Amino acid sequence: LMDATGFTAGVVHAEWILYGGRPHLVECAGRLPGDRIHHLINLSHSCDLTAEYLRVLEGRGPP
């Protein structure tokens, strides 16, 4: 998906539905996910996703 869209840096939120044994793309956007999912990511990966995302957007790269 990232190769097809040319997306090279940042956070991508994608939603898929599995139908008939095949994945179908529902939504794709260069943004943080909703429903405070970034808090779960912070807890599971010991990071601050929002701060790291802003760092990438500022051109400073990932920490």
Side-chain angles (χ1 to χ4, degrees), residues 12-39:
V12 172
H13 171 79
E15 295 181 15
W16 298 82
I17 291 177
L18 190 61
Y19 179 77
R22 295 181 49 211
H24 297 268
L25 182 61
V26 174
E27 174 191 353
C28 176
R31 65 172 178 85
L32 291 171
D35 295 327
R36 302 178 62 100
I37 292 172
H38 63 282
H39 289 295

Side-chain angles (χ1 to χ4, degrees), residues 38-50 52 63:
H38 63 282
H39 289 295
L40 295 175
I41 294 170
N42 293 346
L43 291 171
S44 64
H45 293 282
S46 300
C47 70
D48 183 341
L49 179 63
T50 303
E52 292 178 18

